[in-house]
Amino acid sequence: MRLATLRDGTKDGRLIVVSPDGNAYAAATVGTLQEAMERWDEVAGQLTAIAEFPEALDPAQLAAPLPRAWQWLDGSAFQSHGDLMDAVLGITKPKTDMPLMYQGTSDKFYGPRDDVKFGDEALGIDFEGEFGVIVDAVPMGISAADAMAHIRLVVQINDWSLRTLAGPEMKTGFGWVQAKPPCGMAPFAVTPDELGADWRNGRVCLNLNVDWNGQRFGAANGEPMGHGFHELVAHAARTRDLVAGTVIGSGTVSNPNFREIGSSCIAERRGIEVLDQGDPKTAFMAFGDTVRMEAVDTAGRAPFGALEQKVVRA
């Protein structure tokens, strides 16, 4: 099942069920995705049973599947990315088996075709391609094995970052605020079964194709996550309940052979250049630049649809 949200003049939009080919839709039996998450056991069967899609879908009318959320928790679950960034920034972290995670702004997720506003190109504007999950209500202290059943939807995310601000904020040891504006979200939120065999061990085992200004920048696969999403959910719920509609991200999708397949963010490309050439060569984004992200399977199908955004001056 694929779900999306139509803009209707309200902050949360109107939930729709999307046809298998992504070209049509039917109205959902509940008003919003947040309501669906809070009543998932009651409404999931109703949504899945919808088999006729009478309305033509206009992608330009879609908001983020979840335009705002009670909580957004982002991990850093790809070891190759974390190790590279730490080396470039000169950050030494204590060794731990725990997932890395921070809490970001959740009161807004940009829609799949929204322009994204920034005040200054000098802030180091960067995209970050990720996968994420949306959970129903998760009880405190849940095990990773039991957490799997609470992953109701999977999404694709662009976690925008301002790199000029990120380094200084990280070095304080107190986390990000200014460096992390709202994220963007691809048009379709899908149930895990929609991914078929590409949903394995709590991981989205798809290539995430990232194009910057029409040129392929990266095609990393989501399978090498050091911690699966079920483990990230359990980590987040260790000392608190998670409210239904909590969004949890994977962190930048990255593979150890990033020199060959490319990267899901500019900072990683620049880090490679620092290690290989002594200095970064690739500039960050400028006003007017576009980034397109689309996870695809071996048949060329894009279950989440395409997330394509332009950087503009605020």
Side-chain angles (χ1 to χ4, degrees), residues 113-274:
R113 295 193 177 185
D114 287 350
D115 291 344
V116 181
K117 300 177 181 180
F118 295 100
D120 191 345
E121 291 176 346
L123 295 178
I125 302 168
D126 197 357
F127 49 81
E128 287 193 66
E130 304 191 9
F131 296 115
V133 297
I134 307 177
V135 299
D136 61 8
V138 180
M140 179 173 59
I142 195 169
S143 69
D146 289 342
M148 190 73 82
H150 291 275
I151 296 174
R152 299 304 191 177
L153 295 170
V154 188
V155 292
Q156 180 191 303
I157 293 169
N158 181 2
D159 176 33
W160 289 99
S161 293
L162 299 175
R163 299 298 186 180
T164 302
L165 304 174
E169 283 195 310
M170 287 179 69
K171 290 178 180 179
T172 66
F174 213 62
W176 282 317
V177 176
Q178 294 179 342
K180 288 294 185 179
C183 302
M185 195 177 284
F188 306 136
V190 308
T191 48
D193 64 283
E194 186 77 13
L195 301 177
D198 293 318
W199 174 253
R200 297 192 297 275
N201 302 318
R203 293 158 170 84
V204 181
C205 304
L206 294 173
N207 288 340
L208 180 57
N209 292 336
V210 178
D211 297 329
W212 181 11
N213 292 332
Q215 299 294 316
R216 180 56 45 86
F217 192 80
N221 191 280
E223 187 165 14
M225 283 178 71
H227 298 275
F229 277 112
H230 55 308
E231 294 169 304
L232 297 183
V233 173
H235 174 77
R238 181 184 178 189
T239 59
R240 55 177 161 172
D241 298 330
L242 300 183
V243 67
T246 295
V247 186
I248 297 180
S250 66
T252 305
V253 179
S254 176
N255 298 164
N257 59 334
F258 40 53
R259 289 179 177 83
E260 290 75 42
I261 64 170
S263 298
S264 301
C265 70
I266 302 171
E268 185 171 282
R269 172 75 59 85
R270 285 167 59 91
I272 297 166
E273 292 167 347
V274 169

Side-chain angles (χ1 to χ4, degrees), residues 75-92:
S76 181
F78 290 88
Q79 193 67 40
S80 56
H81 177 76
D83 288 347
L84 177 62
M85 291 297 94
D86 288 349
V88 172
L89 293 172
I91 296 174
T92 301

